[in-house]
Amino acid sequence: MPYLLRYNPHRTALIAFGKRELDNLELSCPSKEGKQGGTATGNMLQSTDTVTLEKIIALAKRRGFIFPTSEIYGGLTSSYDYGPLGAELLRAIRNLWWEEFITHRRDMVGIDSQILLHPETWVASGHVNAFNDPLVEDKETHKRYRADHLIGDWLAQHPQPEEIGVEGLTLDQMGDLIERLQIKSPEGNQILPPRAFNIMFQTAIGVVEGEKQPVYLRGETAQGIFTNFGNILNSGRLQLPFGVGQIGKSFRNEITTKQYIFRTLEFEQAEIEYFFDPESSDWQALFKNWQEAMWAFITDGLGIRAEGLRWRRHSDQERSFYSQETYDLEYRFPFGFKELWGIAYRTDYDLKQHIEHSGRDLRYTDPKSGRSFIPHVIEPAVGINRLLLMALCDAYWEDTQNQRTVLRLKPALAPYKAAVFPLLKNKPELVDKAQAVYGLLSHKFATGWDERGNIGKRYFSQDEIGTPFCITVDFQTLEDDTVTIRERDTMVQERVEIGKLANILREKMG
Ligand code: GAP
């Protein structure tokens, strides 16, 4: 068993964001015009938008998507809270994932297991021994860094005549590289040789000091699926192939900091374990089907531009020891292409381990042949928070012509599907009528309300948070019961009857 279960330099080679990197984090993202008017390959893009992580961070804070955790106490490392709009966006992503992969599929069921599992779970899965990051320490300041990140940063600043990859290096190999290239800490000091740092969070159950039982906050949601495999089989009369999905919080004591919500200590995962009979199912075909489903969810489901996505296959060196094949679906974040969603063929590794450690029979018996065996599994695993970051980056658009910032979110993702305005706030008849329209819509979908300032500012304010439609109640409304719908991206307005408003909006939302 390689000592590193998790260490995956490519996946995590996302630079530790120092101030310097943040200043340079710029990506020219293709504009949405490319999607609307261009080709499937995205080569016909007509203009570019500049999206930086700093701009996303600023907008997300200003408009109530994402706040630093415990900010009034100076914040907590690599931890973020989601504000009113962020909570809506998270909920939209979660719901879309659940509908797509659980509700709409006959071969899938969902569960909701605990964050605290029996500690033996993590011994069996290998996390206690091998869920490690490579850590180095500055000899002078005692500050700690991820060795692979440090080496990657150093190589980026000191190009070498020969190509040097950090991918899949062992601790010793990293140590040799640090010595050979005389790599120093960011403060310019010598560093101690790399060592393995276990990133599982430990806590304890019990009330009496000294008698407390150590337990771990789960490092992945997947293990709750494996430990429930027998219960799910017995209660659900399921037949292979079938999958089990769940969404929930996972925790990792990540060494890296300053990666915004891309890499946090606490995050939400949406994981699927797809179980099958390796003798009667072709794993490669299943794997390909899942890759297609993942791609379709991101592009069709979340409305992300295909040109910002790519697949990357893990090399033999990089792949986790339990996996026979691993791909990452990567998104072009402002800091480069990085892992969004992983898919791995985990074989029968996990169930086998739990059978061995628990003594329980977790085999499946084929109802036709009577053959009992341990199913194999394909695992598509994604982070909901990473999906949210991608959605913000992909939607961000500076419409310089109209001097506005727009989040061109797919309506299904937008925190508010519509916003209602009375034209003037000091005309009670307009406000009352607008309130009635708000009541009508807010019972059907999330609806915003704004009566402050001039109407143009209100439109722009909604554009910035991605509201696809703004409904204005004006003096004509009082005469003929019609309102205007103003569309976010085109800014085109049309007048419709209030009686037809909800249906028209639903149709427009697709
Ligand atoms: N069960 C397999 C597993 O956990 P992983 O690649 O370590 O695999 C799956 O995690 C997904 O969870 C990643 O693709 C990423 O989207 C998300 N993720 C992992 N660590 C994260 C972190 N520290 N912060 C935010 N998201 C994270």
Side-chain angles (χ1 to χ4, degrees):
M1 179 192 295
Y3 86 98
L4 288 170
L5 173 80
R6 169 184 180 273
Y7 164 49
N8 168 350
H10 234 83
R11 184 177 343 163
T12 50
L14 171 68
I15 336 76
F17 295 136
K19 177 76 179 85
R20 174 183 48 76
E21 287 88 355
L22 268 177
D23 288 344
N24 295 327
L25 285 173
E26 263 207 15
L27 160 75
S28 282
C29 270
S31 78
K32 288 248 165 167
E33 275 89 318
K35 183 180 177 185
Q36 287 157 0
T39 62
T41 58
N43 290 334
M44 305 284 285
L45 302 173
Q46 286 155 19
S47 66
T48 56
D49 303 331
T50 303
V51 182
T52 65
L53 193 62
E54 280 177 321
K55 288 179 185 175
I56 298 293
I57 294 172
L59 186 148
K61 170 122 195 278
R62 189 172 66 249
R63 299 309 308 271
F65 283 91
I66 302 164
F67 306 131
T69 293
S70 310
E71 194 185 17
I72 60 167
Y73 294 107
L76 185 67
T77 187
S78 300
S79 302
Y80 292 88
D81 293 337
Y82 292 81
L85 299 186
E88 289 291 344
L89 183 47
L90 277 180
R91 207 163 63 92
I93 294 171
R94 256 184 236 126
N95 290 347
L96 286 169
W97 183 93
W98 192 273
E99 278 163 26
E100 178 70 17
F101 295 113
I102 311 292
T103 315
H104 295 165
R105 290 182 63 135
R106 266 197 327 166
D107 59 344
M108 292 285 305
V109 292
I111 65 159
D112 196 339
S113 71
Q114 295 285 283
I115 285 168
L116 300 178
L117 305 179
H118 192 289
E120 191 63 21
T121 307
W122 305 108
V123 179
S125 67
H127 284 74
V128 169
N129 282 330
F131 203 46
N132 300 326
D133 274 349
L135 174 129
V136 285
E137 190 174 318
D138 182 311
K139 271 187 178 171
E140 307 295 323
T141 64
H142 301 291
K143 278 193 192 162
R144 288 160 175 197
Y145 303 93
R146 275 233 356 213
D148 51 326
H149 291 179
L150 197 74
I151 297 170
D153 280 357
W154 194 90
L155 287 173
Q157 286 165 29
H158 303 83
Q160 300 297 303
E162 84 274 38
E163 198 178 319
I164 301 175
V166 277
E167 174 194 324
L169 293 184
T170 62
L171 286 179
D172 285 345
Q173 286 167 332
M174 275 187 268
D176 290 347
L177 207 55
I178 287 169
E179 211 178 296
R180 179 161 71 82
L181 300 175
Q182 308 246 310
I183 296 174
K184 303 272 190 311
S185 76
E187 286 82 19
N189 302 320
Q190 291 215 316
I191 45 182
L192 293 165
R195 59 195 164 98
F197 171 75
N198 190 283
I199 62 167
M200 291 293 284
F201 270 109
Q202 220 185 65
T203 181
I205 299 178
V207 288
V208 181
E209 213 46 62
E211 291 177 20
K212 288 188 177 174
Q213 186 193 10
V215 286
Y216 299 96
L217 304 186
R218 66 182 171 199
E220 61 176 13
T221 55
Q223 295 306 322
I225 298 177
F226 292 120
T227 52
N228 274 302
F229 180 71
N231 287 332
I232 295 167
L233 258 191
N234 296 336
S235 61
R237 300 163 60 97
L238 293 162
Q239 289 191 20
L240 293 180
F242 70 86
V244 183
Q246 88 162 314
I247 297 180
K249 287 282 179 100
S250 291
F251 301 82
R252 295 179 188 178
N253 198 359
E254 304 276 4
I255 303 167
T256 50
T257 55
K258 298 194 181 123
Q259 298 190 344
Y260 195 40
I261 60 165
F262 181 84
R263 189 178 306 284
T264 47
L265 305 186
E266 176 179 340
F267 55 99
E268 208 171 348
Q269 286 187 307
E271 298 199 281
I272 290 166
E273 303 303 331
Y274 198 76
F275 299 96
F276 62 93
D277 175 357
E279 282 189 19
S280 63
S281 292
D282 171 5
W283 75 263
Q284 272 140 328
L286 289 176
F287 199 92
K288 194 162 169 285
N289 288 347
W290 274 106
Q291 283 186 291
E292 283 167 9
M294 290 158 65
W295 185 276
F297 179 72
I298 299 293
T299 52
D300 302 341
L302 303 186
I304 303 301
R305 290 164 286 176
E307 57 266 29
L309 296 167
R310 72 175 187 197
W311 285 107
R312 192 180 65 78
R313 184 170 187 239
H314 283 209
S315 66
D316 292 348
Q317 240 186 334
E318 178 188 4
R319 209 170 45 238
S320 302
F321 66 89
Y322 56 72
S323 177
Q324 204 159 304
E325 180 73 286
T326 303
Y327 272 82
D328 285 344
L329 178 53
E330 296 187 330
Y331 175 71
R332 189 172 48 186
F333 288 97
F335 34 84
F337 271 103
K338 298 292 164 199
E339 177 191 349
L340 179 73
W341 199 337
I343 175 167
Y345 173 25
R346 286 176 86 125
T347 68
D348 58 358
Y349 169 77
D350 299 88
L351 284 180
K352 233 182 194 164
Q353 287 293 106
H354 289 301
I355 290 170
E356 200 176 292
H357 283 250
S358 69
R360 292 290 184 94
D361 184 1
L362 300 176
R363 286 175 307 163
Y364 172 86
T365 303
D366 186 277
K368 285 197 195 112
S369 67
R371 182 173 63 93
S372 289
F373 57 93
I374 304 173
H376 280 217
V377 80
I378 286 172
E379 179 195 65
V382 70
I384 297 287
N385 315 81
R386 248 176 230 189
L387 292 177
L388 184 142
L389 180 59
M390 169 192 67
L392 290 179
C393 294
D394 208 64
Y396 186 91
W397 176 44
E398 285 171 0
D399 177 4
T400 43
Q401 209 179 345
N402 295 295
Q403 295 190 318
R404 61 181 187 143
T405 299
V406 186
L407 277 189
R408 288 192 283 184
L409 292 167
K410 192 174 173 180
L413 285 184
Y416 294 132
K417 311 302 175 204
V420 178
F421 312 151
L423 183 64
L424 298 170
K425 118 173 178 194
N426 57 1
K427 296 284 176 205
E429 61 276 31
L430 287 181
V431 175
D432 288 352
K433 189 70 184 170
Q435 258 164 4
V437 173
Y438 175 83
L440 187 84
L441 297 184
S442 62
H443 282 85
K444 299 191 180 349
F445 35 74
T447 308
W449 170 271
D450 196 355
E451 57 183 26
R452 301 155 310 160
N454 74 47
I455 201 87
K457 278 195 181 148
R458 283 187 245 167
Y459 284 143
F460 279 16
S461 170
Q462 292 297 325
D463 292 341
E464 204 186 30
I465 60 171
T467 309
F469 306 105
C470 291
I471 318 299
T472 302
V473 170
D474 55 18
F475 290 104
Q476 191 177 329
T477 312
L478 303 179
E479 288 167 18
D480 63 6
D481 232 28
T482 61
V483 289
T484 58
I485 301 178
R486 181 263 196 188
E487 206 270 331
R488 180 191 65 202
D489 300 348
T490 59
M491 304 204 301
V492 167
Q493 297 193 25
E494 66 175 305
R495 190 164 274 279
V496 304
E497 289 169 36
I498 292 176
K500 295 182 182 160
L501 180 60
N503 281 345
I504 291 174
L505 288 177
R506 274 208 192 289
E507 228 167 79
K508 284 180 182 290
M509 281 181 222

